[in-house]
Coordinates of all heavy atoms in Angstrom, one line a residue:
M37 N 93.1 14.5 -63.0 CA 93.8 15.7 -62.6 C 93.1 16.2 -61.3 O 91.9 16.2 -61.2 CB 93.6 16.7 -63.7 CG 94.1 18.1 -63.4 SD 93.7 19.2 -64.8 CE 93.9 20.8 -63.9
V38 N 94.0 16.7 -60.4 CA 93.5 17.2 -59.2 C 93.5 18.7 -59.2 O 94.5 19.3 -59.4 CB 94.3 16.6 -58.0 CG1 93.9 17.3 -56.7 CG2 94.1 15.1 -57.9
V39 N 92.4 19.3 -58.9 CA 92.3 20.8 -58.8 C 92.3 21.1 -57.3 O 91.5 20.6 -56.6 CB 91.0 21.3 -59.5 CG1 90.9 22.8 -59.3 CG2 91.0 21.0 -61.0
M40 N 93.1 22.0 -57.0 CA 93.2 22.4 -55.5 C 92.4 23.6 -55.2 O 92.4 24.5 -56.0 CB 94.7 22.6 -55.1 CG 95.5 21.3 -55.1 SD 97.1 21.5 -54.5 CE 97.9 22.4 -55.9
L41 N 91.8 23.6 -54.1 CA 91.1 24.8 -53.6 C 92.2 25.8 -53.3 O 93.3 25.5 -53.0 CB 90.4 24.5 -52.3 CG 89.2 23.5 -52.5 CD1 88.7 23.2 -51.1 CD2 88.1 24.2 -53.3
P42 N 91.8 27.1 -53.4 CA 92.8 28.1 -53.0 C 93.2 28.0 -51.6 O 92.4 27.6 -50.7 CB 92.1 29.5 -53.3 CG 90.7 29.1 -53.6 CD 90.6 27.7 -53.8
P43 N 94.5 28.4 -51.3 CA 94.9 28.2 -49.9 C 94.0 28.9 -48.9 O 93.6 30.1 -49.1 CB 96.3 28.9 -49.9 CG 96.7 28.8 -51.3 CD 95.5 28.9 -52.1
H44 N 93.8 28.3 -47.8 CA 92.9 28.8 -46.7 C 93.3 28.0 -45.5 O 92.9 26.8 -45.4 CB 91.5 28.7 -47.1 CG 90.5 29.2 -46.0 ND1 90.0 30.4 -46.1 CD2 90.1 28.5 -44.9 CE1 89.2 30.5 -45.0 NE2 89.2 29.4 -44.3
C45 N 94.0 28.6 -44.5 CA 94.4 27.8 -43.4 C 93.2 27.2 -42.6 O 92.3 28.0 -42.2 CB 95.3 28.6 -42.4 SG 95.8 27.7 -41.0
Y46 N 93.2 25.9 -42.4 CA 92.1 25.3 -41.7 C 92.0 25.8 -40.3 O 90.9 25.8 -39.7 CB 92.2 23.8 -41.8 CG 91.1 23.1 -41.0 CD1 89.8 23.0 -41.6 CD2 91.3 22.5 -39.8 CE1 88.8 22.4 -40.9 CE2 90.3 21.9 -39.1 CZ 89.0 21.8 -39.6 OH 88.0 21.3 -39.0
V47 N 93.1 26.1 -39.7 CA 93.1 26.5 -38.3 C 92.7 27.9 -38.1 O 91.8 28.3 -37.3 CB 94.4 26.2 -37.6 CG1 94.5 26.6 -36.2 CG2 94.8 24.7 -37.7
C48 N 93.4 28.9 -38.7 CA 93.2 30.3 -38.4 C 92.4 31.0 -39.5 O 92.1 32.2 -39.3 CB 94.5 31.0 -38.1 SG 95.6 31.0 -39.5
G49 N 92.2 30.4 -40.6 CA 91.5 31.0 -41.7 C 92.3 31.9 -42.6 O 91.7 32.6 -43.4
L50 N 93.6 32.0 -42.4 CA 94.4 32.8 -43.2 C 94.2 32.4 -44.7 O 94.2 31.2 -45.0 CB 95.9 32.6 -42.8 CG 96.9 33.6 -43.4 CD1 96.9 34.9 -42.6 CD2 98.3 33.0 -43.5
D51 N 94.0 33.4 -45.6 CA 93.9 33.0 -47.0 C 94.7 34.0 -47.8 O 95.4 34.8 -47.3 CB 92.5 32.8 -47.4 CG 91.7 34.1 -47.4 OD1 92.3 35.2 -47.4 OD2 90.4 34.1 -47.3
L52 N 94.5 33.9 -49.1 CA 95.3 34.7 -50.1 C 95.2 36.2 -49.8 O 96.2 36.9 -50.0 CB 94.8 34.4 -51.5 CG 95.1 33.0 -52.0 CD1 94.5 32.8 -53.4 CD2 96.6 32.7 -52.1
R53 N 94.0 36.6 -49.4 CA 93.9 38.1 -49.2 C 94.7 38.6 -48.0 O 94.9 39.8 -47.9 CB 92.4 38.4 -49.0 CG 91.5 38.3 -50.2 CD 90.1 38.2 -49.8 NE 89.8 37.2 -48.9 CZ 88.7 36.8 -48.4 NH1 87.6 37.4 -48.9 NH2 88.5 35.8 -47.6
D54 N 95.1 37.7 -47.1 CA 95.8 38.1 -46.0 C 97.3 38.1 -46.2 O 98.1 38.5 -45.4 CB 95.6 37.1 -44.8 CG 94.1 37.1 -44.4 OD1 93.5 38.1 -44.3 OD2 93.6 35.9 -44.3
V55 N 97.7 37.6 -47.4 CA 99.2 37.6 -47.7 C 99.5 38.8 -48.5 O 98.9 39.1 -49.5 CB 99.5 36.3 -48.5 CG1 100.9 36.3 -48.9 CG2 99.1 35.1 -47.8
P56 N 100.5 39.6 -48.0 CA 100.9 40.8 -48.7 C 101.4 40.5 -50.2 O 101.9 39.5 -50.4 CB 102.1 41.3 -47.9 CG 102.1 40.6 -46.6 CD 101.4 39.3 -46.9
D57 N 101.1 41.5 -51.1 CA 101.5 41.3 -52.5 C 103.0 41.1 -52.5 O 103.8 41.7 -51.8 CB 101.2 42.6 -53.3 CG 99.7 42.7 -53.6 OD1 99.0 41.6 -53.5 OD2 99.3 43.7 -54.0
G58 N 103.4 40.1 -53.4 CA 104.8 39.9 -53.5 C 105.3 38.8 -52.6 O 106.4 38.3 -52.9
Q59 N 104.6 38.4 -51.6 CA 105.1 37.4 -50.7 C 104.8 36.0 -51.4 O 103.8 35.8 -52.1 CB 104.3 37.4 -49.4 CG 104.9 36.4 -48.4 CD 104.3 36.7 -47.0 OE1 104.0 37.8 -46.6 NE2 104.0 35.6 -46.3
D60 N 105.8 35.1 -51.3 CA 105.7 33.8 -51.9 C 104.6 32.9 -51.3 O 104.8 32.5 -50.1 CB 107.1 33.2 -51.9 CG 107.1 31.8 -52.6 OD1 106.1 31.6 -53.3 OD2 108.1 31.1 -52.4
L61 N 103.6 32.7 -52.1 CA 102.5 31.9 -51.5 C 102.9 30.4 -51.1 O 102.4 29.9 -50.2 CB 101.3 31.8 -52.5 CG 100.6 33.1 -52.7 CD1 99.5 32.9 -53.8 CD2 99.9 33.6 -51.4
S62 N 103.8 29.9 -52.0 CA 104.2 28.5 -51.7 C 105.0 28.3 -50.4 O 105.1 27.3 -49.9 CB 104.9 27.9 -52.9 OG 106.1 28.7 -53.1
S63 N 105.5 29.4 -49.9 CA 106.2 29.4 -48.7 C 105.3 29.8 -47.5 O 105.7 29.8 -46.3 CB 107.5 30.2 -48.7 OG 107.1 31.6 -48.7
T64 N 104.1 30.2 -47.8 CA 103.2 30.6 -46.8 C 102.2 29.6 -46.4 O 101.7 29.4 -45.3 CB 102.4 31.9 -47.2 OG1 103.4 32.9 -47.6 CG2 101.6 32.5 -46.1
F65 N 101.8 28.8 -47.5 CA 100.8 27.7 -47.3 C 101.3 26.4 -47.7 O 102.1 26.3 -48.6 CB 99.5 28.0 -48.1 CG 98.8 29.3 -47.7 CD1 99.0 30.5 -48.4 CD2 97.9 29.3 -46.7 CE1 98.3 31.6 -48.1 CE2 97.2 30.4 -46.3 CZ 97.4 31.6 -47.0
T66 N 100.9 25.4 -46.9 CA 101.2 24.0 -47.3 C 100.0 23.1 -47.3 O 99.1 23.2 -46.4 CB 102.2 23.4 -46.2 OG1 103.3 24.3 -46.1 CG2 102.7 22.0 -46.6
L67 N 99.9 22.3 -48.4 CA 98.8 21.4 -48.5 C 99.2 20.1 -47.8 O 100.1 19.4 -48.2 CB 98.4 21.2 -50.0 CG 97.1 20.5 -50.3 CD1 95.9 21.3 -49.8 CD2 97.0 20.2 -51.7
V68 N 98.5 19.8 -46.7 CA 98.8 18.6 -46.0 C 97.8 17.5 -46.4 O 96.6 17.7 -46.4 CB 98.7 18.8 -44.4 CG1 98.9 17.5 -43.7 CG2 99.7 19.9 -44.1
H69 N 98.3 16.3 -46.7 CA 97.5 15.2 -47.0 C 97.3 14.2 -45.8 O 98.3 13.6 -45.4 CB 98.1 14.4 -48.2 CG 98.0 15.1 -49.5 ND1 98.9 16.1 -49.9 CD2 97.1 15.0 -50.5 CE1 98.5 16.6 -51.1 NE2 97.4 16.0 -51.5
F70 N 96.1 14.1 -45.3 CA 95.9 13.2 -44.2 C 95.6 11.9 -44.7 O 95.3 11.7 -45.9 CB 94.7 13.8 -43.4 CG 95.0 15.1 -42.6 CD1 94.6 16.3 -43.1 CD2 95.8 15.0 -41.5 CE1 94.9 17.5 -42.5 CE2 96.1 16.2 -40.8 CZ 95.7 17.4 -41.3
A71 N 95.5 10.9 -43.8 CA 95.2 9.5 -44.2 C 93.8 9.4 -44.6 O 92.9 10.1 -44.2 CB 95.6 8.6 -43.1
L72 N 93.5 8.3 -45.4 CA 92.2 8.0 -45.8 C 91.9 6.5 -45.4 O 92.9 5.8 -45.2 CB 92.1 8.0 -47.3 CG 92.0 9.3 -48.0 CD1 92.2 9.1 -49.5 CD2 90.7 10.0 -47.8
S73 N 90.7 6.2 -45.3 CA 90.4 4.8 -45.1 C 90.7 4.0 -46.4 O 90.8 4.7 -47.5 CB 88.9 4.6 -44.8 OG 88.1 4.9 -45.9
R74 N 90.9 2.7 -46.3 CA 91.3 2.0 -47.5 C 90.3 2.1 -48.6 O 90.6 2.2 -49.8 CB 91.5 0.5 -47.1 CG 92.3 -0.3 -48.0 CD 92.6 -1.7 -47.4 NE 93.5 -1.5 -46.2 CZ 94.7 -2.1 -46.1 NH1 95.1 -2.8 -47.1 NH2 95.4 -1.9 -45.1
E75 N 89.0 2.1 -48.2 CA 87.9 2.2 -49.2 C 88.0 3.6 -49.9 O 87.8 3.7 -51.1 CB 86.6 2.1 -48.5 CG 86.3 0.7 -47.8 CD 87.1 0.5 -46.5 OE1 87.1 1.5 -45.7 OE2 87.6 -0.5 -46.2
A76 N 88.2 4.6 -49.1 CA 88.2 6.0 -49.6 C 89.4 6.1 -50.6 O 89.3 6.8 -51.6 CB 88.2 7.0 -48.5
E77 N 90.5 5.5 -50.2 CA 91.7 5.6 -51.0 C 91.4 4.9 -52.4 O 91.8 5.5 -53.4 CB 92.9 4.9 -50.3 CG 94.2 5.4 -50.7 CD 95.3 5.0 -49.8 OE1 95.0 4.8 -48.6 OE2 96.4 4.8 -50.3
A78 N 90.8 3.8 -52.3 CA 90.5 3.0 -53.5 C 89.5 3.8 -54.4 O 89.7 3.9 -55.6 CB 89.9 1.7 -53.2
A79 N 88.6 4.5 -53.7 CA 87.6 5.3 -54.5 C 88.3 6.4 -55.1 O 87.9 6.8 -56.3 CB 86.5 5.7 -53.5
Q80 N 89.2 7.1 -54.4 CA 89.9 8.2 -55.0 C 90.7 7.8 -56.2 O 90.7 8.5 -57.2 CB 90.9 8.8 -53.9 CG 90.6 10.2 -53.6 CD 91.6 10.7 -52.5 OE1 92.8 10.4 -52.5 NE2 91.1 11.6 -51.7
E81 N 91.4 6.6 -56.1 CA 92.2 6.1 -57.3 C 91.3 5.8 -58.4 O 91.6 6.1 -59.6 CB 92.9 4.9 -56.8 CG 94.2 5.3 -56.1 CD 94.8 4.1 -55.4 OE1 94.5 2.9 -55.8 OE2 95.6 4.3 -54.5
A82 N 90.1 5.3 -58.2 CA 89.2 4.9 -59.2 C 88.7 6.2 -59.9 O 88.6 6.3 -61.1 CB 88.0 4.2 -58.7
R83 N 88.4 7.2 -59.1 CA 87.9 8.5 -59.7 C 89.0 9.1 -60.5 O 88.8 9.7 -61.6 CB 87.6 9.5 -58.5 CG 86.2 9.3 -57.9 CD 85.9 10.3 -56.9 NE 87.0 10.6 -56.0 CZ 86.9 11.2 -54.8 NH1 85.7 11.5 -54.4 NH2 87.9 11.4 -54.1
A84 N 90.3 9.1 -60.0 CA 91.4 9.6 -60.8 C 91.5 8.9 -62.1 O 91.8 9.6 -63.2 CB 92.7 9.5 -60.0
R85 N 91.4 7.6 -62.1 CA 91.5 6.9 -63.4 C 90.4 7.2 -64.3 O 90.6 7.2 -65.5 CB 91.5 5.4 -63.1 CG 92.8 4.8 -62.7 CD 92.8 3.3 -62.9 NE 91.8 2.6 -62.0 CZ 92.0 2.3 -60.7 NH1 93.1 2.6 -60.2 NH2 91.0 1.7 -60.0
A86 N 89.2 7.6 -63.8 CA 88.1 8.0 -64.6 C 88.1 9.4 -65.1 O 87.2 9.9 -65.7 CB 86.8 7.7 -63.8
G87 N 89.2 10.1 -64.7 CA 89.4 11.5 -65.2 C 88.7 12.5 -64.3 O 88.5 13.6 -64.7
W88 N 88.3 12.1 -63.1 CA 87.7 13.0 -62.1 C 88.6 14.2 -61.8 O 89.8 14.1 -61.7 CB 87.4 12.2 -60.9 CG 86.8 13.1 -59.8 CD1 85.5 13.4 -59.6 CD2 87.4 13.6 -58.6 NE1 85.3 14.1 -58.4 CE2 86.5 14.2 -57.8 CE3 88.8 13.6 -58.2 CZ2 86.8 14.9 -56.6 CZ3 89.1 14.2 -57.0 CH2 88.1 14.8 -56.2
V89 N 87.9 15.4 -61.7 CA 88.7 16.6 -61.4 C 88.1 17.2 -60.1 O 86.9 17.4 -60.0 CB 88.5 17.6 -62.6 CG1 89.1 19.0 -62.2 CG2 89.2 17.1 -63.8
G90 N 88.9 17.4 -59.2 CA 88.4 18.0 -57.9 C 89.4 18.1 -56.8 O 90.6 17.7 -57.0
H91 N 89.0 18.6 -55.7 CA 89.9 18.7 -54.6 C 89.8 17.5 -53.7 O 88.6 17.1 -53.3 CB 89.5 20.0 -53.8 CG 90.5 20.3 -52.7 ND1 91.6 21.1 -52.8 CD2 90.5 19.9 -51.4 CE1 92.3 21.2 -51.7 NE2 91.6 20.5 -50.8
L92 N 90.9 16.9 -53.4 CA 90.8 15.7 -52.5 C 90.3 16.0 -51.2 O 90.8 17.0 -50.6 CB 92.2 15.0 -52.5 CG 92.8 14.6 -53.8 CD1 94.2 14.1 -53.6 CD2 92.0 13.6 -54.5
E93 N 89.4 15.2 -50.6 CA 88.8 15.5 -49.3 C 89.8 15.4 -48.2 O 89.6 16.1 -47.2 CB 87.6 14.6 -49.1 CG 87.9 13.1 -49.0 CD 87.7 12.3 -50.3 OE1 88.2 12.8 -51.3 OE2 87.1 11.3 -50.2
N94 N 90.9 14.7 -48.4 CA 91.9 14.6 -47.3 C 93.0 15.6 -47.4 O 94.0 15.5 -46.6 CB 92.4 13.1 -47.2 CG 93.1 12.7 -48.5 OD1 92.7 13.0 -49.6 ND2 94.3 12.1 -48.4
A95 N 93.0 16.4 -48.4 CA 94.0 17.4 -48.6 C 93.5 18.8 -48.0 O 92.5 19.3 -48.4 CB 94.3 17.6 -50.1
V96 N 94.3 19.3 -47.0 CA 93.8 20.5 -46.3 C 95.0 21.5 -46.3 O 96.1 21.1 -46.0 CB 93.4 20.1 -44.9 CG1 92.9 21.3 -44.1 CG2 92.4 18.9 -44.9
W97 N 94.6 22.7 -46.5 CA 95.6 23.8 -46.4 C 95.9 24.2 -45.0 O 95.0 24.4 -44.2 CB 95.1 25.0 -47.2 CG 95.2 24.9 -48.7 CD1 94.1 24.8 -49.5 CD2 96.3 24.9 -49.5 NE1 94.5 24.7 -50.8 CE2 95.9 24.8 -50.8 CE3 97.7 25.0 -49.3 CZ2 96.8 24.7 -51.9 CZ3 98.6 25.0 -50.3 CH2 98.1 24.8 -51.6
F98 N 97.2 24.5 -44.7 CA 97.6 25.1 -43.5 C 98.6 26.2 -43.7 O 99.4 26.1 -44.7 CB 98.2 24.1 -42.5 CG 97.2 23.1 -42.1 CD1 97.0 21.9 -42.8 CD2 96.4 23.3 -40.9 CE1 96.0 21.0 -42.4 CE2 95.5 22.4 -40.5 CZ 95.3 21.2 -41.3
C99 N 98.6 27.3 -42.9 CA 99.6 28.3 -43.0 C 100.9 27.9 -42.3 O 100.9 26.8 -41.6 CB 99.1 29.6 -42.4 SG 99.0 29.6 -40.6
N100 N 101.9 28.6 -42.4 CA 103.2 28.3 -41.8 C 103.1 28.1 -40.3 O 103.7 27.3 -39.7 CB 104.2 29.5 -42.0 CG 104.9 29.3 -43.4 OD1 104.8 28.3 -44.0 ND2 105.5 30.4 -43.8
G101 N 102.2 28.9 -39.7 CA 102.1 28.8 -38.2 C 101.4 27.5 -37.7 O 101.5 27.2 -36.6
H102 N 100.7 26.9 -38.6 CA 99.9 25.7 -38.2 C 100.3 24.4 -38.9 O 99.7 23.4 -38.6 CB 98.4 26.0 -38.4 CG 97.9 27.1 -37.5 ND1 97.5 28.3 -37.9 CD2 97.9 27.1 -36.1 CE1 97.2 29.1 -36.9 NE2 97.4 28.4 -35.8
V103 N 101.2 24.5 -39.9 CA 101.5 23.3 -40.6 C 102.2 22.2 -39.8 O 101.9 21.1 -40.0 CB 102.4 23.7 -41.9 CG1 103.8 24.2 -41.5 CG2 102.5 22.5 -42.8
E104 N 102.9 22.6 -38.8 CA 103.6 21.6 -37.9 C 102.5 20.8 -37.1 O 102.6 19.6 -37.0 CB 104.5 22.3 -36.9 CG 105.9 22.5 -37.5 CD 106.9 23.1 -36.6 OE1 106.8 22.7 -35.4 OE2 107.7 23.9 -37.0
L105 N 101.5 21.5 -36.6 CA 100.4 20.9 -35.9 C 99.8 19.9 -36.9 O 99.5 18.7 -36.5 CB 99.4 21.9 -35.5 CG 98.0 21.5 -35.0 CD1 98.2 20.9 -33.6 CD2 97.0 22.6 -35.0
A106 N 99.5 20.3 -38.1 CA 98.9 19.4 -39.1 C 99.7 18.2 -39.4 O 99.2 17.1 -39.5 CB 98.6 20.3 -40.3
Q107 N 101.0 18.5 -39.7 CA 101.9 17.4 -40.1 C 102.0 16.3 -39.0 O 102.2 15.1 -39.2 CB 103.2 17.9 -40.6 CG 103.1 18.4 -42.0 CD 104.2 19.2 -42.5 OE1 105.0 19.7 -41.7 NE2 104.3 19.4 -43.8
A108 N 101.9 16.8 -37.7 CA 102.0 15.8 -36.6 C 100.8 14.9 -36.6 O 100.8 13.8 -36.0 CB 102.1 16.6 -35.3
L109 N 99.7 15.3 -37.2 CA 98.5 14.5 -37.2 C 98.2 13.9 -38.6 O 97.2 13.2 -38.8 CB 97.3 15.4 -36.9 CG 97.3 16.1 -35.5 CD1 96.2 17.1 -35.4 CD2 97.2 15.1 -34.4
A110 N 99.1 14.1 -39.5 CA 98.9 13.6 -40.9 C 98.7 12.1 -41.1 O 98.2 11.7 -42.1 CB 100.0 14.2 -41.8
H111 N 99.2 11.4 -40.1 CA 99.1 9.9 -40.2 C 97.7 9.5 -39.8 O 97.3 8.3 -40.0 CB 100.1 9.2 -39.2 CG 99.9 9.6 -37.8 ND1 100.2 10.9 -37.3 CD2 99.3 8.9 -36.8 CE1 99.9 10.9 -36.0 NE2 99.3 9.7 -35.6
L112 N 96.9 10.4 -39.3 CA 95.5 10.1 -38.9 C 94.5 10.2 -40.1 O 94.8 11.0 -41.0 CB 95.0 11.0 -37.7 CG 95.8 10.9 -36.4 CD1 95.3 12.0 -35.5 CD2 95.7 9.5 -35.8
H113 N 93.4 9.6 -40.0 CA 92.3 9.9 -40.9 C 92.0 11.3 -40.9 O 91.9 11.9 -39.8 CB 91.1 9.0 -40.6 CG 90.1 9.0 -41.7 ND1 89.1 10.0 -41.7 CD2 89.9 8.2 -42.8 CE1 88.3 9.8 -42.8 NE2 88.8 8.7 -43.4
W114 N 91.7 11.9 -42.0 CA 91.4 13.4 -42.1 C 90.3 13.8 -41.2 O 90.4 14.9 -40.6 CB 91.2 13.8 -43.5 CG 90.0 13.3 -44.2 CD1 89.9 12.1 -44.9 CD2 88.8 13.9 -44.4 NE1 88.7 11.9 -45.4 CE2 87.9 13.0 -45.1 CE3 88.2 15.2 -44.0 CZ2 86.6 13.3 -45.5 CZ3 86.9 15.5 -44.4 CH2 86.1 14.6 -45.1
L115 N 89.2 13.0 -41.0 CA 88.1 13.4 -40.2 C 88.6 13.5 -38.7 O 88.2 14.4 -37.9 CB 87.0 12.5 -40.3 CG 86.1 12.7 -41.6 CD1 85.1 11.6 -41.7 CD2 85.4 14.1 -41.5
E116 N 89.4 12.5 -38.4 CA 89.9 12.4 -37.0 C 90.9 13.5 -36.7 O 90.8 14.2 -35.6 CB 90.6 11.0 -36.9 CG 90.8 10.6 -35.4 CD 91.6 9.2 -35.4 OE1 91.5 8.5 -36.4 OE2 92.2 9.0 -34.4
A117 N 91.7 13.8 -37.7 CA 92.7 14.9 -37.5 C 92.0 16.2 -37.4 O 92.3 17.0 -36.5 CB 93.7 14.9 -38.7
K118 N 91.0 16.5 -38.2 CA 90.2 17.7 -38.1 C 89.5 17.8 -36.8 O 89.5 18.9 -36.2 CB 89.2 17.8 -39.2 CG 89.8 18.3 -40.6 CD 88.7 18.5 -41.6 CE 89.2 19.3 -42.8 NZ 88.1 19.5 -43.7
A119 N 89.0 16.7 -36.3 CA 88.3 16.7 -35.0 C 89.3 17.1 -33.9 O 88.9 17.8 -32.9 CB 87.6 15.4 -34.7
L120 N 90.5 16.5 -33.9 CA 91.5 16.8 -32.9 C 91.9 18.3 -33.0 O 92.1 18.9 -31.9 CB 92.7 15.9 -33.1 CG 92.6 14.5 -32.6 CD1 93.8 13.7 -33.0 CD2 92.5 14.5 -31.1
I121 N 92.1 18.8 -34.2 CA 92.4 20.2 -34.3 C 91.3 21.1 -33.8 O 91.6 22.1 -33.0 CB 92.7 20.6 -35.8 CG1 94.0 19.9 -36.3 CG2 92.9 22.1 -36.0 CD1 94.2 19.9 -37.8
D122 N 90.1 20.7 -34.1 CA 88.9 21.5 -33.6 C 88.9 21.5 -32.0 O 88.6 22.5 -31.4 CB 87.6 20.9 -34.1 CG 87.4 21.1 -35.6 OD1 88.1 22.0 -36.1 OD2 86.6 20.4 -36.2
A123 N 89.2 20.3 -31.5 CA 89.2 20.2 -30.0 C 90.3 21.0 -29.4 O 90.2 21.5 -28.3 CB 89.3 18.7 -29.6
E124 N 91.4 21.1 -30.1 CA 92.6 21.8 -29.5 C 92.4 23.3 -29.6 O 93.0 24.0 -28.8 CB 93.8 21.3 -30.3 CG 95.1 21.4 -29.5 CD 96.2 20.5 -30.1 OE1 95.9 19.3 -30.4 OE2 97.2 21.0 -30.4
L125 N 91.7 23.8 -30.6 CA 91.6 25.2 -30.8 C 90.1 25.6 -30.9 O 89.6 25.9 -31.9 CB 92.3 25.5 -32.2 CG 93.7 25.2 -32.2 CD1 94.2 24.8 -33.6 CD2 94.6 26.3 -31.6
P126 N 89.5 25.6 -29.7 CA 88.0 25.8 -29.7 C 87.6 27.2 -30.0 O 86.5 27.4 -30.4 CB 87.6 25.3 -28.3 CG 88.8 25.5 -27.5 CD 90.0 25.4 -28.4
Q127 N 88.5 28.2 -29.7 CA 88.1 29.6 -29.8 C 88.5 30.3 -31.1 O 88.4 31.5 -31.2 CB 88.6 30.4 -28.6 CG 90.1 30.7 -28.6 CD 90.9 29.5 -28.2 OE1 90.7 28.3 -28.6 NE2 91.9 29.7 -27.4
R128 N 88.9 29.5 -32.1 CA 89.2 30.1 -33.4 C 88.0 30.6 -34.1 O 86.9 30.1 -33.9 CB 90.0 29.2 -34.2 CG 89.2 28.1 -34.9 CD 90.1 27.0 -35.3 NE 89.4 25.8 -35.4 CZ 88.8 25.4 -36.6 NH1 88.9 26.1 -37.6 NH2 88.2 24.3 -36.6
P129 N 88.1 31.6 -34.9 CA 87.0 32.2 -35.6 C 86.3 31.2 -36.5 O 86.9 30.4 -37.1 CB 87.5 33.3 -36.5 CG 89.0 33.1 -36.5 CD 89.4 32.3 -35.3
Ligands
LIG329 ZN1 96.9 29.2 -39.7

C-alpha cells in the first residue's frame, strides 16, 4: 500500500492550508510520477510486494499552475526533473 504525503506543490510550496475551504483538492493538486532507474523501479516493486508502506520517491505533488511544467518533464528521472525545475525557478521560496 502506498501512503501519499499531503499535497504540497514542489515548485511554489502551495499546500492544503492555502486552499480555501470547500475547494476541491483533487482539482487543485496533481501527483506526478517521474521516471525511475530500472534498479529503483525493481526495488519499489519488491518493497510493494513485501507490504512496504510509504510515499514513492518519484511521486511529487504539483499545483494546477505548475502541473504542466511537471508533466512535460515526467519522462525524466525524478532527480533530473527536480534539478531542471530548480534551475528554471531559482528564486522561489
Ligand atoms: Zn505550484
Side-chain angles (χ1 to χ4, degrees):
M37 173 184 164
V38 173
V39 174
M40 290 186 288
L41 294 171
H44 177 98
C45 178
Y46 178 73
V47 178
C48 66
L50 190 84
D51 68 20
L52 291 175
R53 287 164 306 188
D54 302 314
V55 177
D57 283 347
Q59 189 172 320
D60 182 13
L61 289 176
S62 63
S63 69
T64 306
F65 295 98
T66 303
L67 192 65
V68 175
H69 289 82
F70 293 101
L72 286 168
S73 66
R74 202 170 291 242
E75 297 76 41
E77 204 168 331
Q80 240 179 37
E81 279 166 21
R83 281 185 314 203
R85 276 197 301 275
W88 176 81
V89 173
H91 187 89
L92 300 177
E93 63 265 49
N94 61 318
V96 185
W97 285 110
F98 292 90
C99 74
N100 276 347
H102 295 114
V103 68
E104 275 182 36
L105 168 74
Q107 280 167 344
L109 300 172
H111 60 288
L112 298 173
H113 188 273
W114 63 276
L115 281 174
E116 200 181 336
K118 279 185 163 183
L120 281 173
I121 292 169
D122 289 343
E124 210 161 307
L125 301 150
Q127 72 283 42
R128 73 199 159 90

